[in-house]
Amino acid sequence: MAWARLKRDKVAIICSVIILLFIIVAIFAPLLVSLEAVDPITKVKADVGTVHTELVDFNGLPTVGASSAHWLGVEPRLGRDLFARWAYGARPSLIIGFVAAFASTIVGVTLGLVAGYLGGLADKIISWVIDFFLSLPILLLVLAVIPIMQKRLAAGGDLTPEETSTIRFWVLIVILVVFGWMGLARLVRGEVKSLREREFVQAARAIGVPTRSILFREILPNLVGPIIVSASIAVPAYITYEATLSYLGAGLVEPTASWGRTIADAQNLFATYPLWLWPSVIGLSLLVLALSLLGDSIRDAFDPTSRR
Amino acid sequence: MSDQTLLKVTDLQRHFPFREVQGLRMVRATVKAVDGISFTVKEGQTLGLVGESGCGKSTTSRLVTRLDEPTGGSIEFGGRDITHLKEHELRDIRRDVQMIFQDPYSSLNPRQTVGAILSTPLRVHGLHQGKEKARVQELLELVGLNPEHINRYPSEFSGGQRQRIGIARALAVEPKLIIADEPVSALDVSIQAQVMNLLAKLRNELGLAFIFVAHDLGVVRHFCDQVAVMYLGKIVEYGDKKKIYEAPEHPYTQALLSAAPDINVARGIAPKERIRLIGDVPSPIDPPSGCRFRTRCWKAQDICAQVEPPLLSATTEESTRAFREGGVHLQACHFPEVKTDLVAEVPA
Amino acid sequence: MLTYILRRLALALSVILATLVSAFLLFFAGPSDPAQAMCPETRCNATRLAAITKSLGLDKPLTVQFFDYFRGLFVGRDFLYAGDTVHCGAPCLGFSFVTRRSVNDELFTRFPNTVVLALMAAVVFVTVGVTLGIIAAVRRGSAADRGLVGASQVLGSIPYYVLALLVALYPVILWNVLPQYSAISAGVGPYFMGMLAPALILGLVTSASYVRYTRNSMIETLSMDYIRTARSKGINERTVLFKHGFRAAMSPIATILGLDIAALLTGTLITEQIFGVDGIGRRGLAALKSFDLPVIMGTVLIGAVVVVIMNLVVDIAYSFIDPRVRLS
Amino acid sequence: MTATVNTISTQSSEARDPGDVVLDVSDLSVAFPTEEGVVKAVSNLTYQARLGRTLAIVGESGSGKSVSSMAVLGLHNPKRTQITGSIKLDGIELVGAPASTFQRIRSTKAAMVFQDPQSSLHPFHKVGKQIAEAYRAHHKVSKQVALKRAVEMLDLVGIPNPQRRANSYPHEFSGGMRQRAMIALGLVNNPKLLIADEPTTALDVTVQAQILDLVNDLQKEFGSAVILITHDLAVVAETADDILVMYAGRGVEKGSAKEVLAQPSHPYTYGLLQSLPSHSEDLEELRAIKGTPPSLLNLPNGCSFHPRCEFKSQVDGDACWTVLPEWRATLGLTNREIRCHLADPVATLKHDEGER
Amino acid sequence: ANNGTPGGTNGTGGKVDQAGAALDPNAKGPAPEIPGAKKGGILTVPYTSTPANMDPSDQFYQDTAVIFSLTNRALTTYVSRDGKQVLVPDLATDLGKQSEDGLTWTFTLKDGIKYEDGTPVKAADIVFAAKRSFDPDLAANGPTYQREFFKGGADYQGPYKGDKNWKGVEAPDDKTVVFHLEKRFETLPYFVSFNQFTPIPEAKDKKADYQLHPLATGPYMFDKYTPGTELVLKRNPNWDPATDPARHNYPDGFHFKWGVDTIKTQTAILASNGDDATSLNWDPIDSSLIPQIEGDKKAQFEEGPSSCVLMVNLDARKIPLPVRKAIAVAWPFDSIHKAAGETTHSFSPASTIIPPQIAGHLDYTAEAAPGFKMNGQGDGNADEAKKMLAAAGYGPDKPFELIYYYTNDDDIAQKVNQVRKQKLEAAGFKVQDIGVPNAERRKLVGDPKGKYNMLQSPRGWCFDWPSADSIIPPTFGTIALSQGGTTFGNFSDAKIDAEIKRIQQLSITEQGPEWGKMDKWLTENYLLAIPDNNDKGNSVFGTKVKNVHNNPNKGMPDLTDVWLDS
Ligand SMILES: Nc1ncnc2c1ncn2[C@@H]1O[C@H](COP(=O)(O)OP(=O)(O)OP(=O)(O)O)[C@@H](O)[C@H]1O
Ligand SMILES: Nc1ncnc2c1ncn2[C@@H]1O[C@H](COP(=O)(O)OP(=O)(O)OP(=O)(O)O)[C@@H](O)[C@H]1O
Ligand SMILES: [Mg+2]
Ligand SMILES: [Mg+2]
């Protein structure tokens, strides 16, 4: 039913198409990049990682503009292909957004279910933990914790750049999840508390359905709406958060291409060399906008009373 | 209808502790939702439970089905004490005692198909293994629904149909006792009768015992053999239907009966003399001392505030009469009103 | 009520304690070595490192360090510095590893700037967000509604730091229409004028979500039965909207508001950084870069305390706003 | 539109005496366009309410009782509702009237007591203030005066200690007291018409009796017209003068309350009465109306009741399926109108009753 | 002081004037007027970093040195003459008198020197300040020469914890300061220009709080100071220009603002609206603004050498000389500089260890292979490097592996590493780049037993005074290595040590050319580190800021010469 409503929502359709486009760009980034022509100076096709300092002058500014070899020009200082950076840059945003939303949804739902259904001490403890996490000045803490986590994970070992950026990537997801599950847990807890009193749950108990089945077969399916809604809101939020952390230097690291990092790098040259900054800003804004509008539509579809 | 006692409830209590803020202090208090009630249900018999909102009817139902644990008293089912059984020990009881809920909307899981809803009890108790679907269809037929609707969701049914699904679910495990907590209150006038008829039919065909909770006195009168009138967590009058309705002895029962509007007024029957009660039901947190009804009772005297009247036959000295009439009739009032003309009506 | 507040306070205290312990474990017991960071790069040798470690008190066992820190918070503590004992009164957040100044001085002198920024931003987002939200709710479904909600969505989707940077550069620096930030020492007038640009952009971006909160809350309220009752009394529509609708719609928003201000107070980091506002967020960020653990700890703690207190305030305030809520 | 038997010719004049028509609803239709389609909540409804009399509107849930009466006070969102026909309140035409007209007549000429007093009172405002506000909306008086009036009204509806209670919030009231407060709110401006929408459904039997008594007493005192919306026929029997039975957004039978209940002449009314347990006290089985009410999105053609009607076979041809029955006087009964194709409903129903 | 920023080179940076360390023991105040200079106005100086504190005993960094040049005077100081830095007496009457054995130095104070509060400066105050610079808490960040050279300095804990009557520095009377040395220290006159030798009256010492208002002896004094945020200076009425050969006091005051955003500040200053017209910033010019300062805003920009030389450090114990030379040939100077965000204004390529502004600098360009000059320019020659490796016995089947640590929590460092790695691999090396967080990297690269075979500490060297004895001995000698530290090349060689020892015995003026020769000798024979570039200092200033000159000792403008147009 919600699905049918969603299908009738024009905004939702447009947003889905945009998101799909970004997903396609992310998945087929190598293919798209290979469509660029061979660079006349370097004599090779551009890729996402190879630096071509010969394409920038001594002040780091590119000497070549947008061309068939470099659809968006090349990166100041390093001379990497900006279109490749942009296309590959969609990947972390999408992966982090969706994976973190998925994981934090699982954590939030599980804890919320347990707290709401069991009540008593379990509820008290989980609620306290929720309160506790909500009281932390998250941004600062996250900024502080990420390097510590990275170090802990590296466990004294020496890291190659690729290992570093992979560790960072997962650390970031873990951090987003660790600091992102509370809202949903609270919501689920409340819903479960009221669902628990609903007569169909009582009926299941009266029949003798075991607790675990009640939680997962009777109650959970009724939370699909709020869970999907909250997950759909979480995705753009995480994407934004990742970009912000990358901007503040605690997010992804070289050589990973990411919009947040590009924005951080490029912000000063926004007027001097606009091709660097704006594609990522536009990509990020558009993706986040589409995801949040879609989130709204999903909420409307699941909760018709809240519609426009 | 055998004379075997199926359910014996003795001095059942359920107190809910909670904290309340009074002025600047936080005080612990208890809601005495059910405060010492006793009754028995025999096989095939129907006990009606009436009383105003908040008097503890639902709590009683939940206690008897052991969805909630009593804080006092005992519940015996089929001779077995089930008062404090653990969930896993309750499995057998869960087969024998089932519940029908008030709200046909919230008592069915909106995310499960009718088939899933009805096969859950079968699965849980390992009944009709391998033939669950057939049994589900059989159940649907039994409650007068189209067996082909097995894959539909509750939202695709009307209120009356949903209540039938709820009934089918209760029947799935072939229980001996069904507790129906206001099963028709939420239904439309024109549908109520359909469901009442279904329940009556099943009772007769399957020989079920019922505890039937309602606030509509007419419905109770129609359906029950015995009636217990509750007020603020206590049974104030208990007895055979005929006696309660025709010769209510407790002032509260009298007030309740007189307050119910009567359609027959339209047919020229003079309206009953209505007993006007003053005020609302007091809070179960802090019930009045002595007789709980005294705050609204026109007969109240000093003793009512001091001594809590026990649930007794009004005419103990005439116990022979009760015996002669072949029925029970107990009430809890210091000043019961015994209708003597009824005695005359009873054939000697 | 009093017991309630006491109970809530106890809870709040437990949260703060937990923050304290976990932050301490995270930072002090963490793998970073601030002494190494302090040690001048080319001239750092083992003796020098040991001296710095000792001078920072990092040579003591962790439990002692924690106990000292803990005691400092509640009763104050004495530091041995340059052969002198320096007293640091409760709540003592310790001494900065880098500047060797009391963290209390470092943070409490800057906190007012953050508060001013957050409050000015709050004024902006509350007035703008709520007004527009009400307009959208009342004109529900109209072009104005769609425009407002859409615009707020778009605004909320652009990376904030890009917006802030553009504002900081163009109107403030290049066009000179908004004054630059200057410290309060340069005068009260210029100080508040200088806060205008950061507060405006922070407020406007935050207001985007308030447009939506207000709109949704207002729409929900307007569908309540008591609004119908109000209409049925024959009072005029404006009274219905404001005295009945707005009043009720505001109470959930008041809750969010309280928490948002708390969040702002701990999260104006980017704004402070970009506009050069000398607040605790920026100080905390600087401390992060230099492993200045006491300052990081202090910032985190202040943040937690602010959030916890705001939570408490919101809860208590809510019970005044909504008479149905009994504090239990 | 069919002419009704008791239409008063001079509708423009104000109703003053008992028996005068205060509210004249004719051919009223209310429809809500929704995503699923147009919900025809009320179709071609016609009825009158008279000073000093109580009109009961009965029918099951969703039959359009509330929607039709809310239309009288203009409480539907004009952008989302299509209202046609005519509503004349004390001579003023309300269909299509501007908001200012409604503002003027609300509470002064017509007031409404809503079903759920818990949600119908503003949770943040004190009860006295809410009542006073309604008074001040139509009288230029100070707050104190209005508040005094509110206290008087609370006293009038039997709330003990009204001075103190005026200072309480709704949640501090019990259900019965809240409903009394709603009634006080309804009556504060002496309206000529009081619409009570299921005023006792949420209440206990004993409290219900108190409230119904109160409404009756107040009506006697004020002499206003009362519309009592309910689905409890027993309540109607005890309190109403006139009755309008609704089914699926349409009126199906109207007349004097007692007469209709004693001798229904529409199969639906008849069915309702038959299915009451009190009617067939000692029968093993109740006589239920088969089937369920139709969807308002998709009303059956012809008579809306025909899919559930036991007597449709007794109507010649396919009139029940195809022709919407118009209002007509019931053969053999005075003062009674029904919308049914049965040639002689009284006889048919009598015959049926005798049979069981 | 040292400089950790990566530097780079390119072809365009011109040769810096041979500044040479001149000494003028007879210089007298007042400093000569600057033609056209006006008095008045407040110069605002916003910049990115934030000084940890303002305690004179703790100062070692260039930015605070510039600030203290306005407020505090030490025994000696520099003046700029024809672009050259000349050491002149400041509080002292001359540049010190050395005893026969060179282990005792005596300075006499000028008459009439007062603190800002009017009290006279006494020799004991300078002695107290010198002792204070030993306190491990108060002077944690300060220099350590005093520990090395002053008698008993190695263990001295300062006047609070240590012996109050320590005899390393003494004041026999109010006018005389005597230094007792452990070993010869020919360049002590340079060292006593440090802020550690600005007088602090013991009675006014507030220890940790002294930094809030250090007593001024220079033309300006603290007016308002908010640690970590800003410092406002006003005129010091008790400064007597007649005693001061080095300082002017044209502006009415100075306003330093810390922790500002570079690009915003520089953009604002170039736009010169309002107060920005009287502002000056000394952060490296942001590359996005280069078109402006190379275009119509040329007059608002000034650049010049800093005290730092940056090198590519190799571990000569682990990399044989032929391979070191191959690295020098392969080294992608230009790419690295680009990746690091360097610009033509941030460095000039170097071919020597000693920067040109130091006396005795020998301008030479060594060759790593015939025709391959080591001038810090170009992007390396992969083919030639491969050939050289092959000659040394390495090839694709047996590549030479370069192992180094890089910072993996800093964006620029990561980018630089990518470029470096790609180019070195192209030249036939195998590269093992080990990523570690910066703080940790510092520990690892400072450990001579580290896993690396190149790019250990130091990355470069910033001289503390314009004499090569503050460059070569600490970076090439065995001392640092034997103390558990690292050096250029991590190489201990008796010949090098002997040569250092020999030159150090010479007098200050004789040392210069000898160091220059040693520089060339080291690069041509050992190639322990490849010269890379000299850092440049930048100043961006508003349209009303005049007479901004770079001080080649600091890479910062000399604020004592700046005046404001109204
Ligand atoms: N979990 C609980 N905690 C505290 N009080 C409770 C709880 N459950 C029920 N009560 C209280 O116990 C009393 C009896 O409740 P119960 O639901 O049994 O009444 P009822 O007779 O079924 O009323 P109704 O006719 O409204 O269904 C009420 O006052 C109710 O508020
Ligand atoms: N705003 C609306 N939009 C769409 N449908 C509506 C709206 N308001 C009412 N309806 C529909 O109109 C029908 C009639 O509703 P109404 O409230 O008049 O019924 P009622 O007879 O008062 O029932 P009840 O006894 O349950 O109060 C219902 O089916 C309802 O769902
Ligand atoms: Mg109940
Ligand atoms: Mg209704």
Coordinates of all heavy atoms in Angstrom, one line a residue, chain A residues 168-194:
Chain A
R168 N 40.5 3.6 7.6 CA 39.7 4.8 7.8 C 38.3 4.6 7.4 O 37.3 5.1 8.1 CB 40.3 5.9 7.0 CG 41.2 6.9 7.7 CD 40.5 7.5 8.9 NE 41.4 8.1 9.8 CZ 41.8 9.4 9.7 NH1 41.3 10.2 8.8 NH2 42.6 9.9 10.6
F169 N 38.1 4.0 6.3 CA 36.8 3.8 5.7 C 35.9 3.1 6.7 O 34.8 3.5 7.0 CB 36.9 3.0 4.4 CG 35.7 3.0 3.6 CD1 35.3 4.0 2.8 CD2 34.8 1.9 3.6 CE1 34.2 4.0 2.0 CE2 33.7 1.8 2.9 CZ 33.4 2.8 2.1
W170 N 36.4 2.0 7.2 CA 35.6 1.2 8.1 C 35.4 1.8 9.5 O 34.4 1.7 10.1 CB 36.1 -0.3 8.2 CG 35.9 -0.9 6.9 CD1 36.8 -1.3 5.9 CD2 34.6 -1.3 6.3 NE1 36.2 -1.8 4.8 CE2 34.9 -1.8 5.0 CE3 33.3 -1.2 6.7 CZ2 33.9 -2.3 4.2 CZ3 32.3 -1.7 5.9 CH2 32.6 -2.2 4.6
V171 N 36.5 2.4 9.9 CA 36.4 3.2 11.2 C 35.3 4.2 11.1 O 34.5 4.3 12.0 CB 37.8 3.9 11.5 CG1 37.6 4.9 12.6 CG2 38.8 2.8 11.9
L172 N 35.3 4.9 10.0 CA 34.3 5.9 9.8 C 32.9 5.3 9.9 O 32.0 5.8 10.6 CB 34.5 6.5 8.4 CG 33.9 7.9 8.3 CD1 34.6 8.8 9.3 CD2 34.2 8.4 6.9
I173 N 32.7 4.2 9.2 CA 31.4 3.5 9.3 C 31.0 3.1 10.7 O 29.9 3.4 11.2 CB 31.3 2.3 8.3 CG1 31.4 2.8 6.9 CG2 30.1 1.5 8.6 CD1 31.3 1.8 5.8
V174 N 32.0 2.5 11.3 CA 31.8 2.1 12.7 C 31.4 3.3 13.6 O 30.4 3.2 14.4 CB 33.0 1.3 13.3 CG1 32.8 1.1 14.8 CG2 33.2 0.0 12.6
I175 N 32.1 4.3 13.4 CA 31.9 5.5 14.3 C 30.5 6.1 14.0 O 29.7 6.4 14.9 CB 32.9 6.6 13.9 CG1 34.3 6.2 14.4 CG2 32.5 7.9 14.5 CD1 34.5 6.4 15.9
L176 N 30.1 6.1 12.7 CA 28.8 6.6 12.4 C 27.7 5.8 13.0 O 26.7 6.2 13.5 CB 28.6 6.7 10.8 CG 29.4 7.8 10.1 CD1 29.2 7.7 8.6 CD2 29.0 9.1 10.6
V177 N 28.0 4.5 13.0 CA 27.0 3.6 13.6 C 27.0 3.7 15.1 O 25.9 3.9 15.7 CB 27.3 2.1 13.2 CG1 26.4 1.1 13.9 CG2 27.2 1.9 11.7
V178 N 28.1 3.8 15.7 CA 28.2 3.8 17.1 C 27.5 5.1 17.6 O 26.8 5.1 18.7 CB 29.7 3.8 17.6 CG1 29.8 4.2 19.1 CG2 30.2 2.4 17.4
F179 N 27.6 6.2 16.9 CA 27.0 7.4 17.3 C 25.7 7.7 16.6 O 25.1 8.8 16.8 CB 28.0 8.6 17.1 CG 29.1 8.5 18.1 CD1 30.4 8.1 17.6 CD2 29.0 9.0 19.4 CE1 31.4 8.0 18.5 CE2 30.1 8.9 20.2 CZ 31.3 8.4 19.8
G180 N 25.2 6.7 15.9 CA 24.0 7.0 15.1 C 22.8 6.2 15.4 O 21.8 6.4 14.8
W181 N 22.9 5.2 16.3 CA 21.8 4.3 16.5 C 20.8 4.8 17.4 O 19.7 4.2 17.5 CB 22.4 2.9 16.9 CG 23.1 3.1 18.2 CD1 24.4 3.4 18.4 CD2 22.6 2.9 19.5 NE1 24.8 3.5 19.7 CE2 23.7 3.2 20.4 CE3 21.4 2.6 20.1 CZ2 23.5 3.1 21.8 CZ3 21.2 2.6 21.5 CH2 22.3 2.8 22.3
M182 N 21.1 5.8 18.2 CA 20.2 6.1 19.4 C 18.8 6.5 19.0 O 17.8 6.2 19.7 CB 20.9 7.1 20.3 CG 22.2 6.8 20.9 SD 23.5 7.0 19.7 CE 23.6 8.8 19.7
G183 N 18.8 7.4 18.0 CA 17.5 7.9 17.6 C 16.5 6.8 17.3 O 15.4 6.7 17.8
L184 N 16.9 5.9 16.5 CA 16.1 4.8 16.1 C 15.7 3.9 17.3 O 14.6 3.4 17.4 CB 16.7 4.0 14.9 CG 15.8 2.8 14.4 CD1 14.5 3.4 13.9 CD2 16.6 2.1 13.3
A185 N 16.7 3.6 18.1 CA 16.5 2.8 19.2 C 15.4 3.4 20.1 O 14.5 2.7 20.6 CB 17.8 2.6 20.0
R186 N 15.5 4.7 20.3 CA 14.5 5.3 21.1 C 13.1 5.2 20.5 O 12.1 4.9 21.1 CB 14.8 6.8 21.2 CG 14.8 7.3 22.6 CD 15.1 8.8 22.6 NE 15.7 9.1 23.8 CZ 16.0 10.3 24.2 NH1 15.6 11.3 23.5 NH2 16.5 10.5 25.4
L187 N 13.1 5.4 19.2 CA 11.8 5.3 18.4 C 11.2 3.9 18.6 O 10.1 3.7 18.9 CB 12.1 5.7 17.0 CG 10.9 5.7 16.1 CD1 10.2 7.0 16.2 CD2 11.3 5.4 14.6
V188 N 12.1 2.9 18.3 CA 11.6 1.6 18.3 C 11.2 1.2 19.7 O 10.1 0.6 19.9 CB 12.7 0.6 17.8 CG1 12.4 -0.8 18.1 CG2 12.9 0.8 16.3
R189 N 11.9 1.6 20.7 CA 11.6 1.3 22.0 C 10.2 1.8 22.3 O 9.4 1.1 22.9 CB 12.6 2.0 23.0 CG 12.3 1.8 24.4 CD 13.3 2.5 25.3 NE 12.9 2.6 26.7 CZ 12.2 3.6 27.2 NH1 11.8 4.6 26.4 NH2 11.8 3.6 28.4
G190 N 9.9 3.1 22.0 CA 8.6 3.6 22.2 C 7.5 2.9 21.5 O 6.5 2.5 22.1
E191 N 7.8 2.6 20.2 CA 6.8 1.8 19.4 C 6.5 0.5 20.1 O 5.4 0.0 20.2 CB 7.3 1.7 18.0 CG 7.4 3.0 17.2 CD 6.0 3.4 16.7 OE1 5.3 2.5 16.2 OE2 5.7 4.6 16.7
V192 N 7.6 -0.2 20.4 CA 7.5 -1.5 21.0 C 6.7 -1.5 22.3 O 5.8 -2.3 22.5 CB 8.8 -2.2 21.2 CG1 8.7 -3.5 22.0 CG2 9.5 -2.5 19.9
K193 N 7.0 -0.5 23.1 CA 6.3 -0.3 24.3 C 4.8 -0.2 24.1 O 4.0 -0.8 24.8 CB 6.8 0.9 25.1 CG 7.8 0.6 26.1 CD 8.0 1.8 27.0 CE 9.0 1.6 28.1 NZ 9.1 0.3 28.8
S194 N 4.4 0.5 23.0 CA 3.0 0.6 22.8 C 2.4 -0.6 22.1 O 1.3 -1.1 22.3 CB 2.6 1.9 22.1 OG 2.9 1.7 20.7

